Amino acid sequence: MNPATALSTVLVDELVRCGVTDVVLAPGSRSAPLAIAAHADSRIRLHVRVDERSASFLAIGLARRSQRPVALVCTSGTAAANFHPAVIEAHESGVPLLVLTADRPPELRDTGASQTIDQVKLYGSSVRWFCEVGVPEERPGQVAYWRSLACRAYQRALGPADPGPVHLNLAFREPLIPDGDPSWCEPLDGGPAGPWVRFRLAPPSVGLHVPATRRGVLVVGDGAVNVRRYVAAAGMAGWPVLSEPTGGARYGDHAISAYHFLLGTPEFADAHVPDVVVTLGRPSLSRPLLSWLKRAGEHVVVTAGAARWPDPTRSATQVAEVAEIPVAPGDDTWLRSWRSAEAAAREAVDAVLDDSGTTEPRVARDLAEALPNNSLLFCGSSMPIRDLDQAMRPRRGVRLMANRGASGIDGLVSTAAGAALAHNGPSYALLGDLTFLHDQNGLIIGPREPRPDLCLVVVNNDGGGIFSLLPQAALPGPFERVFGTPHGVDLSYVAAATGTPHTLLSSIGDLPKALRGEGPRMVEVRTDREENARVHAALRESTQKAVRALL
């Protein structure tokens, strides 16, 4: 057996023993040993994509939804560089990813050899761990090295305290394909079932005790863990729960879905300065919320690990891996005030949206309402997630996800497809037109590849809608060309190029019917950017009027 085949066979086997079930491959020559080993292992679900960026974000979706490491494989050169945006997203949002880049051996580096770049620490500080594996050789001790290395890489990617991407750079000499000789200088197998190295976690430490008060608030952002436990504790303590859509806590009697508008009303924000705020995950969608956090008497940030904690407002007074929310004596005046304001603002939001026709926040609200239980909804990082945050009513039964680590728009079709492949149930995605066009290659799925049950709802306003809500909109001269960026693309032709069924929504009332179907499909919703800006202004004015009437 040649060394390249031996290393790849052992590495793939050990990763499977550790728990890897999915491998995403972008084809190439130097990565042939890894590709052949993954294809030959019946325990692996293999996904092949012709575009490295699409492949890498597909892996993000698979790993984010399954919450276990996914192996991502490519050849040498710029192929590995095209993984970089996804590695950054995995780093920022804590997604466990095993990046296996094939490389040329040292004697070919810096010689002008094709597809040869410096891949050592290619992703810089955006990985939890990097290892230059070394050129495999036929000598005793290599199998133990390769298997222990695979275990360490898997466990470092998994965390659990600080999950994220791990980069293994694998230099292969030719021959790159099996030579038909199964012999090796030592046994290649891993012995009894199970990983070569078993990792044990220490028991969790005792949590931080939060000051007892009735005037507390639980804020839940993207990437939060142990959410149900904290929501239950907040319920016992009489605290309102302010959850972003992907926080997983927008349900129950204490959920305040209109918090963006409540805290955007200065009189309400002034009257509701909390004694304590406990933050889970990474809240980042609402500027009024972030400004209000700075005013809390005590701000406790709960983080999965001491190495990283989210505190964009620099207002945290305590950071802990576990926090205990106590029940304080007193009545529920504080909670009743929040709930009354929530009801008034919610009524105002719904009244504006019901009269708005087919507008972007109404599409977001009605989509979240229409989805069946056990659905997955993947959200675009620009306007879709913000529209959901401002318009979505509390509900159970739907899991919401988004790439909110770096919050870029790249690779989101592929991420949604990956998440759908890992989800046991129907999947949907709400994306903007620029986001969709940026990753239209995500629709390229070979005839032999696993196909996601995914409905893409694409809001098409012919450009970058979020800029119409920003100060740049006051610059009529350059605005349309350099911010609005109209593209004029007929999305039905983009869908047709890959055989993806396409439906143009004619009326917002037809949305539930348009969502029906199986496999990859697209529902296009055409909207107007100027009208969208007017609806958002109306939402703000109507909710502020309703809330002020209570004060």
Side-chain angles (χ1 to χ4, degrees):
M1 182 178 293
N2 64 62
T5 298
L7 167 56
S8 299
T9 301
V10 169
L11 187 66
V12 168
D13 177 67
E14 191 58 42
L15 289 177
V16 170
R17 287 168 176 262
C18 288
V20 168
T21 59
D22 289 86
V23 174
V24 180
L25 168 70
S29 175
R30 191 60 52 165
S31 57
L34 293 168
I36 293 169
H39 182 269
D41 197 317
S42 61
R43 299 168 295 176
I44 283 176
R45 185 168 63 157
L46 181 63
H47 311 265
V48 181
R49 294 296 185 272
V50 297
D51 177 346
E52 281 83 12
R53 188 177 67 178
S54 177
S56 59
F57 278 98
L58 180 81
I60 289 277
L62 283 162
R64 186 188 288 276
R65 179 62 188 91
S66 65
Q67 296 184 325
R68 60 172 175 264
V70 169
L72 176 63
V73 179
C74 74
T75 191
S76 63
T78 56
N82 279 302
F83 282 173
H84 206 158
V87 171
I88 290 172
E89 174 61 33
H91 166 67
E92 294 292 345
S93 56
V95 175
L97 207 62
L98 290 165
V99 184
L100 311 180
T101 56
D103 199 359
R104 260 54 178 177
E107 63 268 19
L108 291 182
R109 299 176 185 174
D110 293 323
T111 65
S114 295
Q115 295 183 331
T116 305
I117 65 172
D118 184 0
Q119 295 179 203
V120 174
K121 297 191 176 180
L122 176 63
Y123 308 118
S125 59
S126 293
V127 294
R128 299 295 187 268
W129 183 53
F130 166 79
C131 181
E132 172 76 348
V133 177
V135 179
E137 301 173 350
E138 186 172 5
R139 57 183 176 83
Q142 290 276 276
V143 172
Y145 166 51
W146 296 335
R147 289 192 179 275
S148 63
L149 175 74
C151 292
R152 180 178 178 184
Y154 180 90
Q155 191 59 53
R156 187 62 194 91
L158 180 64
D162 187 27
V166 165
H167 178 202
L168 301 184
N169 195 52
L170 298 125
F172 294 121
R173 291 192 178 102
E174 295 183 352
L176 301 175
I177 62 174
D179 53 15
D181 180 4
S183 63
W184 191 253
C185 65
E186 60 180 343
L188 290 174
D189 65 84
W196 187 266
V197 179
R198 297 182 182 275
F199 184 80
R200 293 287 183 263
L201 291 173
S205 57
V206 177
L208 167 73
H209 285 274
V210 175
T213 178
R214 301 296 289 189
R215 293 178 61 90
V217 174
L218 177 65
V219 174
V220 187
D222 185 73
V225 297
N226 298 323
V227 172
R228 291 188 179 276
R229 168 190 172 182
Y230 285 98
V231 170
M236 294 292 293
W239 291 10
V241 178
L242 283 52
S243 176
E244 294 184 349
T246 57
R250 190 172 289 200
Y251 64 86
D253 293 338
H254 291 214
I256 307 297
S257 64
Y259 69 87
H260 173 81
F261 298 111
L262 301 185
L263 299 178
T265 305
E267 298 88 340
F268 182 90
D270 291 344
H272 291 79
V273 176
D275 294 336
V276 177
V277 171
V278 173
T279 298
L280 311 179
R282 301 176 300 276
S284 63
L285 294 176
S286 171
R287 290 186 180 182
L289 171 64
L290 294 177
S291 296
W292 178 79
L293 284 177
K294 300 177 184 178
R295 305 172 67 180
E298 189 88 16
H299 181 192
V300 179
V301 171
V302 179
T303 177
R308 296 157 55 88
W309 66 72
D311 182 24
T313 60
R314 298 293 185 182
S315 59
T317 55
Q318 298 188 74
V319 177
E321 294 187 17
V322 181
E324 303 294 338
I325 299 176
V327 177
D331 58 30
D332 60 353
T333 302
W334 170 255
L335 179 61
R336 285 203 315 270
S337 177
W338 279 91
R339 293 177 66 179
S340 296
E342 158 77 1
R346 183 75 259 167
E347 183 178 357
V349 166
D350 289 337
V352 170
L353 295 186
D354 288 344
D355 291 337
S356 69
T358 306
T359 59
E360 296 176 29
R362 181 169 182 183
V363 169
R365 183 199 67 178
D366 291 4
L367 175 62
E369 193 86 2
L371 299 185
N373 286 336
N374 194 36
S375 292
L376 171 70
L377 176 58
F378 184 85
C379 318
S381 299
S382 188
M383 280 309 301
I385 187 64
R386 289 174 170 83
D387 283 334
L388 282 164
D389 188 41
Q390 296 174 27
M392 178 184 171
R393 300 183 181 109
R395 70 157 293 181
R396 301 176 189 266
V398 175
R399 185 183 186 107
L400 287 98
M401 295 174 58
N403 281 355
R404 290 297 298 172
S407 302
I409 70 167
D410 39 355
L412 296 192
V413 174
S414 300
T415 306
L421 285 165
H423 181 69
N424 185 24
S427 298
Y428 307 82
L430 179 62
L431 306 175
D433 50 331
L434 293 187
T435 294
F436 170 75
L437 290 171
H438 203 273
D439 189 31
Q440 57 186 288
N441 279 0
L443 294 179
I444 302 175
I445 305 173
R448 301 178 64 181
E449 302 306 311
R451 301 183 70 78
D453 181 11
L454 174 65
C455 179
L456 296 169
V457 179
V458 181
V459 176
N460 183 5
N461 55 33
D462 193 28
I466 193 171
F467 295 108
S468 296
L469 305 178
L470 298 178
Q472 291 92 322
L475 304 173
F479 176 79
E480 190 64 5
R481 184 180 182 191
V482 301
F483 297 108
T485 57
H487 51 77
V489 175
D490 189 330
L491 300 188
S492 67
Y493 288 103
V494 177
T498 55
T500 303
H502 171 274
T503 300
L504 178 62
L505 190 71
S506 57
S507 169
I508 188 64
D510 295 334
L511 181 61
K513 180 180 178 181
L515 296 175
R516 297 172 190 165
E518 295 180 351
R521 58 201 188 277
M522 181 198 305
V523 175
E524 179 185 353
V525 186
R526 293 180 183 170
T527 62
D528 180 84
R529 281 185 270 128
E530 291 186 2
E531 176 62 19
N532 183 52
R534 286 193 290 271
V535 169
H536 278 86
L539 287 171
R540 182 172 59 253
E541 294 165 4
S542 181
T543 52
Q544 288 185 351
K545 180 179 179 180
V547 172
R548 284 169 177 154
L550 297 175
L551 300 176

